[in-house]
Each structure stands twice: as C-alpha cells, then as structure tokens.
Amino acid sequence: LEATAIHEYGHAVERMVRSKISVFGDLYRSHGEEAIKQQLGHYATTNVHEFFAECFLDAHMPNPSPIAAEFMKKLKEVL
C-alpha cells in the first residue's frame, strides 16, 4: 500500500514538472528497456509517465537504483 501511494504521488509530482517532461523522456530513452526492467521493474517500461512514477518510488526506497538516483538528481534540478 505504501509503495502504491508513493507511486501515485510521483504522478502528482510529474504533473508539477510537466513542462520539463522531455528531461525525463531523455533519461527514459537513454537507459533502454532492459536496464529499466532490471532496476525498476517491467511496469516502468510502459511509458515515460510510469517510468517517472517508478523512479520516484524507487528513489524513496532504502537502496535506490542508479537510474532512480540519476532521476532524483534531474528532478531536483527542475524543481
């Protein structure tokens, strides 16, 4: 339940930075489907919006993946 709430909150944050979504689209495309699947799970490969929310979720876990760490760095830059 907590993971779902964080994921959905990630979608709300995405709406706040919608004008900068290309930054996250670039990140999504740069890593490729296999790396995203391995680090974030299959659902994160659905589209850039689910990638954003899954990165946001993973970044709030005790040991975030390298992709999620890179995501958070970019998120902090655009906020």
Side-chain angles (χ1 to χ4, degrees):
L1 183 60
E2 181 181 343
T4 301
I6 295 170
H7 173 100
E8 294 305 324
Y9 187 69
H11 283 301
V13 171
E14 179 193 1
R15 284 189 286 282
M16 291 171 46
V17 297
R18 179 104 8 172
S19 65
K20 308 283 188 195
I21 195 65
S22 66
V23 170
F24 302 101
D26 292 345
L27 181 63
Y28 175 66
R29 286 183 294 280
S30 73
H31 284 286
E33 188 173 318
E34 203 52 45
I36 293 170
K37 243 190 258 185
Q38 288 177 351
Q39 293 185 43
L40 300 169
H42 178 74
Y43 194 58
T45 66
T46 304
N47 58 48
V48 70
H49 308 292
E50 298 308 337
F51 172 77
F52 189 104
E54 287 295 298
C55 280
F56 189 84
L57 167 62
D58 195 57
H60 288 86
M61 295 293 111
N63 296 303
S65 68
I67 293 175
E70 186 178 353
F71 163 86
M72 281 306 289
K73 182 180 176 193
K74 291 192 180 300
L75 181 60
K76 288 176 183 177
E77 288 171 5
V78 301
L79 285 177

Coordinates of all heavy atoms in Angstrom, one line a residue:
L1 N 0.8 -1.2 0.0 CA 0.0 0.0 0.0 C 0.9 1.3 0.0 O 0.6 2.2 -0.7 CB -1.0 0.0 1.2 CG -1.9 1.1 1.3 CD1 -2.8 1.2 0.1 CD2 -2.8 1.0 2.5
E2 N 1.9 1.3 0.8 CA 2.8 2.4 0.9 C 3.5 2.7 -0.5 O 3.5 3.8 -0.9 CB 3.8 2.3 2.0 CG 4.8 3.4 2.1 CD 5.8 3.2 3.2 OE1 5.7 2.4 4.0 OE2 6.8 4.0 3.1
A3 N 3.9 1.6 -1.1 CA 4.6 1.8 -2.4 C 3.6 2.3 -3.4 O 4.0 3.2 -4.2 CB 5.1 0.4 -2.9
T4 N 2.4 1.9 -3.4 CA 1.4 2.4 -4.3 C 1.1 3.9 -4.1 O 1.0 4.7 -5.1 CB 0.0 1.7 -4.2 OG1 0.3 0.3 -4.5 CG2 -1.0 2.2 -5.2
A5 N 1.1 4.3 -2.8 CA 0.9 5.7 -2.5 C 2.0 6.6 -3.0 O 1.8 7.7 -3.6 CB 0.7 5.9 -1.0
I6 N 3.3 6.1 -2.8 CA 4.4 6.8 -3.3 C 4.4 6.9 -4.8 O 4.7 8.0 -5.4 CB 5.7 6.2 -2.8 CG1 5.8 6.3 -1.3 CG2 7.0 6.9 -3.4 CD1 6.9 5.5 -0.6
H7 N 4.1 5.8 -5.5 CA 4.0 5.8 -7.0 C 3.0 6.8 -7.4 O 3.3 7.6 -8.3 CB 3.6 4.4 -7.4 CG 3.3 4.3 -8.9 ND1 4.2 3.8 -9.8 CD2 2.2 4.6 -9.6 CE1 3.7 3.9 -11.0 NE2 2.5 4.3 -10.9
E8 N 1.8 6.9 -6.8 CA 0.8 7.8 -7.3 C 1.2 9.2 -6.9 O 0.9 10.2 -7.7 CB -0.6 7.4 -6.6 CG -1.1 6.1 -7.1 CD -1.3 6.0 -8.6 OE1 -1.6 7.0 -9.3 OE2 -1.0 4.9 -9.2
Y9 N 1.8 9.4 -5.8 CA 2.4 10.8 -5.5 C 3.4 11.2 -6.6 O 3.4 12.4 -7.0 CB 3.0 10.8 -4.1 CG 3.4 12.1 -3.6 CD1 2.5 13.1 -3.3 CD2 4.8 12.5 -3.5 CE1 2.9 14.4 -2.9 CE2 5.1 13.7 -3.1 CZ 4.2 14.7 -2.8 OH 4.6 15.9 -2.3
G10 N 4.1 10.2 -7.1 CA 5.1 10.5 -8.2 C 4.4 11.1 -9.4 O 4.9 12.0 -10.0
H11 N 3.2 10.5 -9.7 CA 2.4 11.1 -10.8 C 2.0 12.5 -10.5 O 2.0 13.4 -11.4 CB 1.1 10.2 -11.1 CG 1.4 9.0 -11.8 ND1 2.0 8.9 -13.0 CD2 1.1 7.7 -11.4 CE1 2.1 7.6 -13.4 NE2 1.6 6.9 -12.4
A12 N 1.7 12.9 -9.3 CA 1.3 14.2 -8.9 C 2.5 15.2 -9.1 O 2.4 16.3 -9.6 CB 0.8 14.3 -7.5
V13 N 3.7 14.7 -8.7 CA 4.9 15.5 -8.9 C 5.2 15.7 -10.4 O 5.6 16.8 -10.8 CB 6.1 14.8 -8.2 CG1 7.4 15.5 -8.5 CG2 5.9 14.8 -6.7
E14 N 5.0 14.6 -11.1 CA 5.2 14.7 -12.6 C 4.3 15.8 -13.2 O 4.8 16.6 -14.0 CB 4.8 13.4 -13.3 CG 5.0 13.5 -14.8 CD 4.4 12.3 -15.5 OE1 3.8 11.4 -14.9 OE2 4.5 12.3 -16.8
R15 N 3.1 15.9 -12.7 CA 2.2 17.0 -13.2 C 2.8 18.4 -12.9 O 2.6 19.3 -13.7 CB 0.8 16.8 -12.7 CG 0.0 15.7 -13.4 CD -1.4 15.6 -13.0 NE -1.7 15.1 -11.7 CZ -1.7 13.8 -11.4 NH1 -1.4 12.9 -12.3 NH2 -1.9 13.4 -10.2
M16 N 3.5 18.5 -11.8 CA 4.1 19.8 -11.4 C 5.2 20.2 -12.3 O 5.5 21.3 -12.5 CB 4.6 19.7 -10.0 CG 3.5 19.6 -8.9 SD 4.2 19.2 -7.2 CE 5.5 20.4 -7.1
V17 N 5.9 19.2 -12.9 CA 7.1 19.5 -13.8 C 6.8 19.1 -15.2 O 7.7 18.9 -16.0 CB 8.3 18.7 -13.2 CG1 8.7 19.2 -11.9 CG2 8.2 17.2 -13.3
R18 N 5.5 19.0 -15.6 CA 5.1 18.6 -16.9 C 5.9 19.4 -18.0 O 6.2 18.8 -19.0 CB 3.6 18.8 -17.1 CG 3.1 18.4 -18.4 CD 2.3 17.2 -18.6 NE 2.0 16.4 -17.4 CZ 1.2 15.4 -17.5 NH1 0.7 15.0 -18.6 NH2 1.0 14.6 -16.4
S19 N 6.1 20.6 -17.8 CA 6.8 21.4 -18.9 C 8.2 20.9 -19.1 O 8.9 21.2 -20.1 CB 6.8 22.9 -18.6 OG 7.5 23.1 -17.4
K20 N 8.8 20.2 -18.1 CA 10.1 19.7 -18.2 C 10.2 18.2 -18.5 O 11.2 17.5 -18.3 CB 10.9 19.9 -16.9 CG 10.8 21.3 -16.4 CD 11.8 22.2 -17.2 CE 11.8 23.6 -16.6 NZ 12.4 24.6 -17.3
I21 N 9.1 17.6 -18.9 CA 9.0 16.1 -19.1 C 10.0 15.6 -20.1 O 10.4 14.4 -20.0 CB 7.5 15.7 -19.4 CG1 7.4 14.1 -19.2 CG2 7.2 16.1 -20.8 CD1 7.5 13.7 -17.8
S22 N 10.4 16.4 -21.0 CA 11.4 16.0 -22.0 C 12.7 15.5 -21.3 O 13.4 14.6 -21.8 CB 11.7 17.0 -23.1 OG 12.3 18.1 -22.5
V23 N 13.1 16.2 -20.2 CA 14.3 15.8 -19.5 C 14.1 14.3 -19.1 O 15.1 13.5 -19.2 CB 14.5 16.7 -18.3 CG1 15.5 16.2 -17.3 CG2 14.7 18.1 -18.7
F24 N 13.0 13.9 -18.6 CA 12.8 12.6 -18.1 C 12.5 11.6 -19.3 O 12.9 10.4 -19.2 CB 11.6 12.6 -17.1 CG 11.9 13.5 -16.0 CD1 11.3 14.8 -15.9 CD2 12.8 13.2 -15.0 CE1 11.6 15.7 -14.9 CE2 13.1 14.1 -14.0 CZ 12.5 15.3 -13.9
G25 N 12.0 12.1 -20.4 CA 11.9 11.3 -21.6 C 13.3 10.9 -22.1 O 13.5 9.8 -22.5
D26 N 14.2 11.9 -22.1 CA 15.6 11.6 -22.5 C 16.2 10.6 -21.6 O 16.9 9.7 -22.1 CB 16.4 12.9 -22.4 CG 16.0 13.9 -23.5 OD1 15.2 13.6 -24.4 OD2 16.4 15.1 -23.4
L27 N 16.0 10.7 -20.3 CA 16.5 9.7 -19.3 C 15.9 8.3 -19.6 O 16.6 7.3 -19.6 CB 16.2 10.2 -17.9 CG 16.7 9.3 -16.8 CD1 18.2 9.2 -16.8 CD2 16.2 9.8 -15.4
Y28 N 14.6 8.3 -19.8 CA 13.9 7.0 -20.1 C 14.5 6.4 -21.4 O 14.9 5.2 -21.3 CB 12.5 7.4 -20.3 CG 11.5 6.3 -20.8 CD1 11.3 5.2 -19.9 CD2 10.9 6.3 -22.0 CE1 10.4 4.2 -20.3 CE2 10.0 5.3 -22.4 CZ 9.8 4.3 -21.5 OH 8.9 3.3 -21.9
R29 N 14.7 7.1 -22.4 CA 15.2 6.5 -23.7 C 16.7 6.2 -23.5 O 17.2 5.2 -24.2 CB 15.0 7.5 -24.8 CG 13.6 7.6 -25.3 CD 13.4 8.5 -26.5 NE 13.6 9.9 -26.2 CZ 12.7 10.7 -25.5 NH1 11.5 10.2 -25.2 NH2 13.0 11.9 -25.3
S30 N 17.5 6.9 -22.8 CA 18.9 6.7 -22.7 C 19.3 5.4 -22.0 O 20.4 4.9 -22.3 CB 19.6 7.9 -22.0 OG 19.4 7.9 -20.6
H31 N 18.4 4.9 -21.2 CA 18.8 3.7 -20.4 C 18.4 2.4 -21.1 O 19.0 1.3 -20.9 CB 18.3 3.7 -19.0 CG 19.1 4.6 -18.1 ND1 20.3 4.3 -17.7 CD2 18.8 5.9 -17.7 CE1 20.8 5.3 -17.0 NE2 19.9 6.3 -17.0
G32 N 17.4 2.4 -21.9 CA 16.9 1.2 -22.6 C 16.0 0.4 -21.8 O 16.1 0.4 -20.5
E33 N 15.2 -0.4 -22.5 CA 14.2 -1.2 -21.8 C 14.8 -2.2 -20.8 O 14.3 -2.4 -19.7 CB 13.4 -1.9 -22.9 CG 12.1 -2.6 -22.3 CD 11.2 -3.1 -23.4 OE1 11.0 -2.4 -24.4 OE2 10.8 -4.3 -23.2
E34 N 15.8 -2.9 -21.2 CA 16.4 -4.0 -20.4 C 16.9 -3.4 -19.0 O 16.7 -4.0 -18.0 CB 17.5 -4.7 -21.1 CG 17.7 -6.1 -20.6 CD 16.4 -7.0 -20.5 OE1 15.6 -7.0 -21.4 OE2 16.3 -7.6 -19.4
A35 N 17.7 -2.3 -19.1 CA 18.2 -1.8 -17.8 C 17.1 -1.2 -16.9 O 17.1 -1.4 -15.7 CB 19.2 -0.6 -18.2
I36 N 16.1 -0.6 -17.6 CA 14.9 -0.1 -16.8 C 14.2 -1.3 -16.1 O 13.9 -1.2 -14.9 CB 14.0 0.7 -17.7 CG1 14.7 2.0 -18.1 CG2 12.7 1.0 -16.9 CD1 13.9 2.8 -19.2
K37 N 14.0 -2.4 -16.9 CA 13.3 -3.6 -16.3 C 14.1 -4.1 -15.1 O 13.5 -4.5 -14.1 CB 13.2 -4.6 -17.4 CG 11.8 -5.0 -17.8 CD 11.8 -6.2 -18.7 CE 11.6 -5.8 -20.1 NZ 11.4 -6.9 -21.0
Q38 N 15.4 -4.2 -15.3 CA 16.3 -4.8 -14.2 C 16.3 -4.0 -13.0 O 16.3 -4.5 -11.9 CB 17.7 -5.0 -14.7 CG 17.8 -6.2 -15.7 CD 19.2 -6.3 -16.3 OE1 20.1 -5.4 -16.0 NE2 19.5 -7.3 -17.0
Q39 N 16.3 -2.6 -13.2 CA 16.5 -1.8 -12.0 C 15.2 -1.3 -11.4 O 15.1 -1.1 -10.2 CB 17.3 -0.5 -12.4 CG 18.8 -0.9 -12.7 CD 19.6 0.3 -13.0 OE1 19.5 1.3 -12.3 NE2 20.4 0.3 -14.0
L40 N 14.1 -1.2 -12.2 CA 12.9 -0.6 -11.7 C 11.7 -1.5 -11.9 O 10.6 -1.3 -11.3 CB 12.6 0.7 -12.5 CG 13.6 1.8 -12.3 CD1 13.3 2.9 -13.3 CD2 13.7 2.3 -10.9
G41 N 11.8 -2.5 -12.8 CA 10.7 -3.5 -13.0 C 10.0 -3.2 -14.3 O 10.2 -2.1 -14.9
H42 N 9.3 -4.2 -14.8 CA 8.7 -4.2 -16.1 C 7.7 -3.0 -16.3 O 7.7 -2.4 -17.3 CB 7.9 -5.5 -16.4 CG 7.3 -5.5 -17.7 ND1 7.9 -5.6 -18.9 CD2 5.9 -5.4 -18.0 CE1 7.1 -5.6 -19.9 NE2 5.9 -5.5 -19.4
Y43 N 6.9 -2.7 -15.2 CA 5.9 -1.6 -15.3 C 6.6 -0.3 -15.7 O 6.0 0.5 -16.4 CB 5.2 -1.5 -14.0 CG 3.9 -0.7 -14.2 CD1 2.9 -1.0 -15.1 CD2 3.7 0.4 -13.4 CE1 1.8 -0.3 -15.2 CE2 2.5 1.2 -13.5 CZ 1.6 0.8 -14.4 OH 0.4 1.6 -14.5
A44 N 7.8 0.0 -15.3 CA 8.5 1.2 -15.6 C 8.8 1.4 -17.1 O 9.0 2.5 -17.6 CB 9.8 1.3 -14.8
T45 N 8.7 0.3 -17.9 CA 9.0 0.3 -19.3 C 7.7 0.7 -20.1 O 7.7 0.9 -21.3 CB 9.5 -1.0 -19.9 OG1 8.6 -2.0 -19.8 CG2 10.8 -1.4 -19.1
T46 N 6.5 0.8 -19.4 CA 5.3 1.0 -20.1 C 5.3 2.3 -20.9 O 4.9 2.3 -22.1 CB 4.1 1.1 -19.1 OG1 4.1 -0.1 -18.3 CG2 2.8 1.3 -19.7
N47 N 5.7 3.4 -20.3 CA 5.8 4.7 -20.9 C 6.6 5.7 -20.0 O 6.9 5.3 -18.9 CB 4.4 5.3 -21.3 CG 3.5 5.4 -20.1 OD1 3.9 6.0 -19.1 ND2 2.3 5.0 -20.3
V48 N 6.8 6.9 -20.4 CA 7.6 7.8 -19.6 C 6.9 8.2 -18.3 O 7.6 8.5 -17.3 CB 8.0 9.0 -20.5 CG1 6.9 9.9 -20.8 CG2 9.1 9.8 -19.8
H49 N 5.6 8.2 -18.3 CA 4.8 8.6 -17.1 C 5.0 7.5 -16.0 O 5.2 7.8 -14.9 CB 3.4 8.8 -17.5 CG 3.2 9.8 -18.6 ND1 3.5 11.1 -18.5 CD2 2.8 9.6 -19.9 CE1 3.3 11.7 -19.7 NE2 2.9 10.8 -20.5
E50 N 4.9 6.2 -16.4 CA 5.1 5.2 -15.4 C 6.6 5.1 -15.0 O 6.9 4.8 -13.9 CB 4.6 3.8 -16.0 CG 3.1 3.8 -16.3 CD 2.2 4.3 -15.1 OE1 2.6 4.3 -13.9 OE2 1.1 4.8 -15.4
F51 N 7.5 5.3 -16.0 CA 8.9 5.4 -15.7 C 9.1 6.5 -14.6 O 9.8 6.2 -13.6 CB 9.7 5.7 -16.9 CG 11.1 6.0 -16.7 CD1 12.0 5.0 -16.4 CD2 11.6 7.3 -16.7 CE1 13.4 5.3 -16.2 CE2 12.9 7.6 -16.6 CZ 13.8 6.6 -16.3
F52 N 8.5 7.6 -14.8 CA 8.7 8.7 -13.8 C 8.2 8.3 -12.4 O 8.9 8.4 -11.4 CB 7.9 9.9 -14.3 CG 8.1 11.2 -13.5 CD1 8.9 12.2 -14.0 CD2 7.5 11.4 -12.2 CE1 9.1 13.4 -13.3 CE2 7.7 12.5 -11.5 CZ 8.5 13.5 -12.0
A53 N 7.0 7.7 -12.4 CA 6.4 7.3 -11.1 C 7.2 6.2 -10.4 O 7.4 6.2 -9.2 CB 5.0 6.9 -11.2
E54 N 7.7 5.2 -11.2 CA 8.5 4.2 -10.7 C 9.9 4.6 -10.2 O 10.4 4.2 -9.2 CB 8.6 3.0 -11.7 CG 7.3 2.2 -11.9 CD 6.9 1.5 -10.6 OE1 7.6 0.6 -10.1 OE2 5.8 1.8 -10.1
C55 N 10.5 5.6 -10.9 CA 11.7 6.2 -10.5 C 11.5 6.9 -9.1 O 12.3 6.8 -8.2 CB 12.3 7.2 -11.5 SG 13.1 6.4 -12.9
F56 N 10.4 7.7 -9.1 CA 10.1 8.4 -7.9 C 9.9 7.4 -6.7 O 10.5 7.7 -5.6 CB 8.8 9.2 -8.1 CG 8.5 10.2 -7.0 CD1 9.1 11.4 -7.0 CD2 7.6 9.8 -5.9 CE1 8.8 12.3 -5.9 CE2 7.4 10.7 -4.9 CZ 8.0 11.9 -4.9
L57 N 9.2 6.3 -6.9 CA 9.1 5.3 -5.9 C 10.4 4.7 -5.5 O 10.8 4.7 -4.3 CB 8.1 4.2 -6.4 CG 8.1 2.9 -5.6 CD1 7.6 3.2 -4.2 CD2 7.3 1.9 -6.3
D58 N 11.2 4.3 -6.4 CA 12.5 3.6 -6.1 C 13.4 4.6 -5.4 O 14.2 4.2 -4.5 CB 13.1 3.1 -7.4 CG 14.2 2.1 -7.1 OD1 14.0 1.1 -6.4 OD2 15.4 2.4 -7.6
A59 N 13.4 5.9 -5.8 CA 14.2 6.9 -5.1 C 13.9 7.0 -3.7 O 14.7 7.5 -2.9 CB 14.1 8.2 -5.9
H60 N 12.7 6.6 -3.3 CA 12.3 6.8 -1.9 C 12.4 5.5 -1.1 O 12.0 5.4 0.1 CB 10.9 7.3 -1.8 CG 10.8 8.8 -2.2 ND1 10.7 9.2 -3.5 CD2 11.0 9.9 -1.4 CE1 10.8 10.5 -3.5 NE2 10.9 11.0 -2.3
M61 N 13.1 4.5 -1.7 CA 13.3 3.2 -1.0 C 14.7 3.3 -0.4 O 15.5 4.2 -0.7 CB 13.2 2.1 -2.0 CG 11.8 1.8 -2.6 SD 10.7 1.3 -1.4 CE 9.6 2.7 -1.2
P62 N 15.0 2.4 0.5 CA 16.3 2.4 1.2 C 17.6 2.4 0.3 O 18.6 3.0 0.6 CB 16.3 1.2 2.2 CG 14.8 1.0 2.4 CD 14.1 1.4 1.1
N63 N 17.5 1.6 -0.8 CA 18.6 1.5 -1.7 C 18.2 1.7 -3.1 O 18.0 0.8 -3.9 CB 19.2 0.0 -1.5 CG 19.8 -0.2 -0.2 OD1 20.6 0.5 0.3 ND2 19.3 -1.3 0.5
P64 N 18.1 3.0 -3.5 CA 17.6 3.3 -4.8 C 18.6 2.8 -5.9 O 19.8 2.8 -5.7 CB 17.5 4.8 -4.8 CG 18.2 5.3 -3.6 CD 18.4 4.2 -2.7
S65 N 18.0 2.5 -7.0 CA 18.8 2.0 -8.2 C 19.6 3.2 -8.7 O 19.3 4.4 -8.5 CB 17.9 1.5 -9.2 OG 17.1 2.5 -9.8
P66 N 20.6 2.9 -9.5 CA 21.4 4.0 -10.2 C 20.5 4.9 -11.1 O 20.6 6.1 -11.1 CB 22.4 3.3 -11.0 CG 22.7 2.0 -10.2 CD 21.3 1.6 -9.7
I67 N 19.5 4.3 -11.7 CA 18.6 5.1 -12.6 C 17.8 6.0 -11.7 O 17.6 7.2 -12.0 CB 17.7 4.2 -13.5 CG1 18.5 3.4 -14.5 CG2 16.6 5.0 -14.1 CD1 17.8 2.4 -15.3
A68 N 17.3 5.5 -10.6 CA 16.5 6.3 -9.7 C 17.3 7.5 -9.1 O 16.8 8.6 -8.9 CB 15.8 5.5 -8.6
A69 N 18.5 7.2 -8.8 CA 19.4 8.2 -8.2 C 19.6 9.3 -9.3 O 19.6 10.5 -9.0 CB 20.7 7.6 -7.8
E70 N 19.9 8.9 -10.5 CA 20.0 9.9 -11.6 C 18.7 10.7 -11.8 O 18.8 11.9 -12.0 CB 20.4 9.2 -12.9 CG 20.7 10.1 -14.0 CD 21.2 9.3 -15.3 OE1 21.4 8.1 -15.3 OE2 21.3 10.0 -16.3
F71 N 17.6 10.0 -11.7 CA 16.3 10.6 -11.9 C 16.1 11.7 -10.8 O 15.7 12.8 -11.1 CB 15.2 9.6 -11.7 CG 13.8 10.1 -11.4 CD1 13.0 10.6 -12.4 CD2 13.4 10.3 -10.1 CE1 11.8 11.1 -12.2 CE2 12.1 10.8 -9.8 CZ 11.3 11.2 -10.9
M72 N 16.5 11.4 -9.6 CA 16.3 12.4 -8.5 C 17.2 13.6 -8.7 O 16.8 14.7 -8.4 CB 16.5 11.7 -7.1 CG 15.4 10.9 -6.6 SD 13.8 11.8 -6.5 CE 14.1 12.9 -5.2
K73 N 18.4 13.4 -9.2 CA 19.3 14.5 -9.4 C 18.6 15.4 -10.5 O 18.6 16.6 -10.3 CB 20.6 14.0 -10.0 CG 21.6 15.1 -10.2 CD 22.9 14.5 -10.7 CE 23.8 15.6 -11.1 NZ 25.0 15.2 -11.9
K74 N 18.0 14.8 -11.5 CA 17.4 15.7 -12.5 C 16.1 16.3 -12.0 O 15.8 17.5 -12.3 CB 17.1 14.8 -13.8 CG 18.3 14.4 -14.5 CD 18.0 13.8 -15.8 CE 19.3 13.4 -16.6 NZ 20.2 14.5 -16.8
L75 N 15.4 15.6 -11.2 CA 14.2 16.2 -10.6 C 14.5 17.4 -9.7 O 13.8 18.4 -9.8 CB 13.4 15.1 -9.8 CG 12.1 15.6 -9.1 CD1 11.1 16.1 -10.2 CD2 11.5 14.5 -8.3
K76 N 15.5 17.3 -8.9 CA 16.0 18.4 -8.1 C 16.4 19.6 -8.9 O 16.2 20.8 -8.6 CB 17.1 18.0 -7.1 CG 16.6 17.1 -6.0 CD 17.7 16.6 -5.2 CE 17.1 15.6 -4.1 NZ 18.2 15.0 -3.3
E77 N 17.0 19.3 -10.1 CA 17.4 20.4 -11.0 C 16.2 21.2 -11.6 O 16.3 22.4 -11.8 CB 18.3 19.9 -12.1 CG 19.6 19.4 -11.7 CD 20.4 18.7 -12.8 OE1 19.9 18.6 -14.0 OE2 21.5 18.2 -12.5
V78 N 15.1 20.5 -11.8 CA 14.0 21.2 -12.5 C 13.0 21.7 -11.5 O 12.1 22.5 -11.9 CB 13.2 20.3 -13.5 CG1 14.2 19.8 -14.6 CG2 12.6 19.1 -12.8
L79 N 13.1 21.4 -10.2 CA 12.1 21.9 -9.2 C 12.6 23.3 -8.8 O 13.7 23.7 -8.7 CB 12.0 21.0 -8.0 CG 11.2 19.7 -8.3 CD1 11.2 18.8 -7.1 CD2 9.8 20.1 -8.7

